[in-house]
Amino acid sequence: MARALRALRGAAGAASGTGPGHGHGCGAGSDPGAGSGTTRGPRVRFGPSPTGFLHLGGLRTALYNYIFAKKHQGTFILRVEDTDQNRVVPGAAEGIEEMLDWAGIPPDESPCRGGPRGPYVQSLRLELYRGASAALLESGAAYRCFCTPRRLELLRREALRCQHTPRYDNRCRHLTPAEVAQKLSQGLDCVVRFRLEKGMEPFQDLVYGWNKHEVAEVEGDPVILKGDGFPTYHLANVVDDHYMGITHVLRGTEWLTSTSKHLLLYKALGWEPPQFGHLPLLLNKDGGKLSKRQGDIFLERFVRDGFLPEALLDIVTNCGSGFAEKQMGRTLEELISQFEIGRITTHSALLDLEMLPEFNRIHLTRHIENEGLRQRLVRELQELVKRVYGDQQADPEVLEKQYVERVLLLRKGHISLLKNLVSSDYSYLWVRPSVSRQQLQMISTEADEIGKLVLGLMTRQAAALTVEELNKDLRNLQKQTRETKYSSVMQLLRLALSGQQHGPSVAEMMVTLGPKEVSGRIHRALCS
Ligand code: GLU
């Protein structure tokens, strides 16, 4: 055993590396070795399989790990779990890391960033798994299995015929060393299986409390190293968590029953296990499985639809637990400061995605109120306007920073997505409406008089307009008409200014457009 453990340590040295990449196509701009694990706090990891896009379930697991790490000045690690090579999707690993960056929860150590306990991709750590498997073979905790796929299939069918759960019958446990040697010399294919021992000790899960699964009673001995030299998930995750110095494993509840198996592996390898905390299921609001159909829960979709990352982090934690109170609108900093692992409950988290726009509205409002974040929104909105209205724009002034900023500040709290501001309801902000005098006269025969009064108002009001002042002025203006009701005055002006029948208040429209543009639009409509 001692020799085997020495071999293990050697392998760990050989496979560790600080450089980023390790053959993975990481995007430019990553910071090699950033946050390279010098902190003393907990070390946690997110271990997705690179089989596709990151979805909300994965984001939630990553987020709780991130929050836990940051709360305790620890390290958050991204480890790509690609031991099932048949399911690997090229580019998926890079996509997942990119999405963590986008979400504002970047890993400290990862395939792209590197770190002291790398490589961070399992297919680049095969030596470590082989070393652990060799140690287990030597101590007798594991054995070689030569059963053919055909035999295993027959076992399975027989079990199903007798209405039993299929399980391996542990036949190769009983091969003598001479029989093994003979089969090896014949060049027969084999895998390595771990001997599940009975008498499992209970363990305390950080969320589910005391737990015990007598795996040996219900399962056959699991394969830990496949014929192609790749480990299975169970061995790889134990070996990696050990060598990466993981202190806390926070993962989905679907892994709770496997934890006993993992603890048996730790024991057989003579390693101290980390603490485990399993996160309850994340379900649709009606309690069904989160649907991945049509890409509706993939992060890329939310990026494309223009949601803010904070809104996603907020909704995903809001439907879950880990906080003293339910509250909308938490920032990442607030999530970190208010999170308490002891408050995670075992109740499933029910996600109501119909609420996402409302979460986004709250965070968008906060962004607009913050000077620095607002400038970013200004630039984004300018781009959106160019893209949507390109050549139809009223005049280049609508793209001026001051104008765009004014639009944002006045519409703050009314829009849930930035792109709402380039929808047809708001087209008047960017292109001049075409409204005729006749249309205005259908609302009031006093259209010309009202128009003139507004033109007068605009010259008097050349200085900064305010909504309150204008509201008063518009009330007074209506009193100067002979027979037009206030609501009709508003209807007429709204139509002249925006070509619309609904929308923000006329006073707000006037403040947004500014006196020059308001006069121009009234003038044009009346002269048409
Ligand atoms: N690769 C596993 C998954 O994608 C990770 C399980 C774990 O965190 O141990 O769910």
Side-chain angles (χ1 to χ4, degrees):
M1 184 76 179
R3 207 179 66 223
L5 285 178
R6 259 201 311 281
L8 268 181
R9 276 195 284 273
S16 73
T18 49
H22 294 284
H24 268 245
C26 298
S30 66
D31 179 7
S36 52
T38 46
T39 47
R40 292 242 179 128
R43 290 175 60 81
V44 296
R45 84 318 190 260
F46 171 50
S49 301
T51 54
F53 296 119
L54 181 63
H55 57 77
L56 287 178
L59 176 74
R60 191 214 22 178
T61 308
L63 176 59
Y64 276 87
N65 275 285
Y66 180 90
I67 293 175
F68 181 75
K70 299 302 153 184
K71 173 143 199 126
H72 302 286
Q73 291 76 48
T75 305
F76 171 55
I77 296 157
L78 170 66
R79 178 171 79 217
V80 171
E81 306 209 333
D82 62 345
T83 54
D84 189 350
Q85 290 281 302
N86 296 326
R87 296 181 56 225
V88 169
V89 171
E94 293 77 8
I96 291 171
E97 187 158 356
E98 248 172 59
M99 282 301 108
L100 293 180
D101 289 343
W102 173 81
I105 54 169
D108 300 304
E109 298 172 23
S110 72
C112 285
R113 290 167 167 84
R117 306 284 186 111
Y120 294 90
V121 178
Q122 288 187 328
S123 57
L124 300 172
R125 301 170 64 83
L126 298 184
E127 236 178 297
L128 289 173
Y129 314 127
R130 284 187 201 131
S133 164
L136 293 169
L137 280 171
E138 191 171 307
S139 70
Y143 59 90
R144 288 193 174 82
C145 169
F146 297 90
C147 290
T148 59
R150 192 177 133 72
R151 172 166 194 272
L152 297 175
E153 179 55 23
L154 286 176
L155 265 184
R156 204 182 69 85
R157 281 207 211 145
E158 181 60 16
L160 290 177
R161 199 179 61 78
C162 305
Q163 295 182 337
H164 292 154
T165 313
R167 59 189 272 191
Y168 177 56
D169 62 358
N170 299 348
R171 182 163 90 164
C172 289
R173 257 193 191 200
H174 312 291
L175 292 175
T176 63
E179 284 170 324
V180 171
Q182 196 206 2
K183 286 181 188 294
L184 285 176
S185 69
Q186 287 170 357
L188 294 183
D189 288 341
C190 71
V191 297
V192 178
R193 287 187 188 267
F194 178 58
R195 194 185 285 268
L196 291 179
E197 297 294 355
K198 292 205 176 98
M200 180 70 215
E201 280 165 28
F203 71 95
Q204 195 165 23
D205 187 84
L206 291 167
V207 176
Y208 283 78
W210 286 103
N211 253 273
K212 187 169 111 149
H213 299 277
E214 272 299 356
V215 267
E217 313 234 320
V218 290
E219 289 183 36
D221 291 337
V223 173
I224 53 171
L225 201 68
K226 295 180 277 188
D228 59 4
F230 272 75
T232 56
Y233 159 71
H234 302 295
L235 179 68
N237 114 91
V238 165
V239 168
D240 288 341
D241 286 345
H242 172 71
Y243 285 120
M244 290 184 176
I246 301 301
T247 57
H248 297 76
V249 170
L250 305 181
R251 62 184 172 193
T253 186
E254 65 272 25
W255 301 108
L256 183 61
T257 51
S258 300
T259 305
S260 295
K261 216 179 303 176
H262 300 163
L263 287 167
L264 288 173
L265 277 165
Y266 278 103
K267 196 166 160 203
L269 287 160
W271 293 340
E272 183 77 28
Q275 276 191 275
F276 292 91
H278 289 85
L279 303 171
L281 288 175
L282 180 63
L283 302 172
N284 281 331
K285 75 161 187 250
D286 53 14
K289 215 169 159 243
L290 265 199
S291 143
K292 291 188 205 167
R293 269 174 298 127
Q294 294 153 355
D296 52 2
I297 58 161
F298 294 125
L299 258 69
E300 272 78 358
R301 177 223 137 173
F302 299 106
V303 177
R304 202 181 48 238
D305 288 353
F307 286 100
L308 291 168
E310 289 95 330
L312 283 182
L313 305 185
D314 195 13
I315 196 169
V316 154
T317 43
N318 193 271
C319 72
S321 46
F323 301 87
E325 278 153 41
K326 251 199 167 3
Q327 177 194 318
M328 283 170 91
R330 284 193 185 100
T331 60
L332 183 55
E333 289 69 35
E334 286 163 347
L335 288 174
I336 294 168
S337 68
Q338 295 172 25
F339 175 71
E340 290 171 58
I341 193 159
R343 288 193 182 271
I344 301 183
T345 67
T346 58
H347 301 298
S348 301
L350 302 185
L351 181 68
D352 182 359
L353 274 182
E354 279 169 28
M355 286 294 288
L356 185 58
E358 178 56 11
F359 277 85
N360 208 71
R361 189 187 65 79
I362 296 171
H363 287 277
L364 187 57
T365 302
R366 194 173 47 75
H367 277 226
I368 294 174
E369 282 165 356
N370 175 295
E371 172 69 33
L373 296 173
R374 183 164 69 241
Q375 295 319 317
R376 277 177 50 184
L377 291 175
V378 166
R379 285 192 294 276
E380 266 178 62
L381 187 51
Q382 285 169 326
E383 285 310 310
L384 277 172
V385 174
K386 272 192 240 166
R387 207 176 321 142
V388 177
Y389 292 103
D391 11 294
Q392 320 161 39
Q393 257 153 43
D395 65 67
E397 276 174 30
V398 298
L399 279 178
E400 273 175 13
K401 180 174 153 293
Q402 255 186 336
Y403 177 74
V404 177
E405 199 165 8
R406 200 158 70 223
V407 168
L408 282 171
L409 285 166
L410 286 163
R411 283 286 83 198
K412 178 186 83 176
H414 296 280
I415 45 161
S416 48
L417 288 165
L418 191 65
K419 71 174 178 189
N420 293 159
L421 287 174
V422 291
S423 68
S424 56
D425 285 352
Y426 287 108
S427 60
Y428 71 90
L429 291 170
W430 321 109
V431 290
R432 290 183 177 132
S434 87
V435 182
S436 67
R437 180 162 174 252
Q438 203 187 356
Q439 277 175 289
L440 300 182
Q441 278 177 330
M442 274 164 66
I443 299 172
S444 166
T445 48
E446 293 180 284
D448 290 322
E449 289 84 342
I450 295 170
K452 277 196 199 98
L453 288 170
V454 173
L455 291 178
L457 196 62
M458 288 299 111
T459 43
R460 280 206 318 282
Q461 283 265 14
L465 302 178
T466 68
V467 175
E468 294 76 40
E469 286 293 307
L470 270 175
N471 272 329
K472 277 190 236 150
D473 289 339
L474 289 169
R475 287 255 165 224
N476 290 333
L477 184 147
Q478 185 265 335
K479 289 186 192 130
Q480 296 169 55
T481 66
R482 269 170 288 122
E483 57 189 22
T484 314
K485 288 187 300 187
Y486 182 71
S487 59
S488 302
V489 175
M490 292 303 111
Q491 196 189 349
L492 183 146
L493 292 179
R494 174 173 284 114
L495 186 68
L497 295 177
S498 68
Q500 315 258 358
Q501 297 188 357
H502 307 283
S505 72
V506 170
E508 185 191 313
M509 280 184 179
M510 288 178 158
V511 174
T512 310
L513 294 169
K516 194 169 137 228
E517 183 66 22
V518 169
S519 307
R521 289 188 186 196
I522 300 278
H523 191 74
R524 252 188 314 280
L526 291 176
C527 294
S528 62

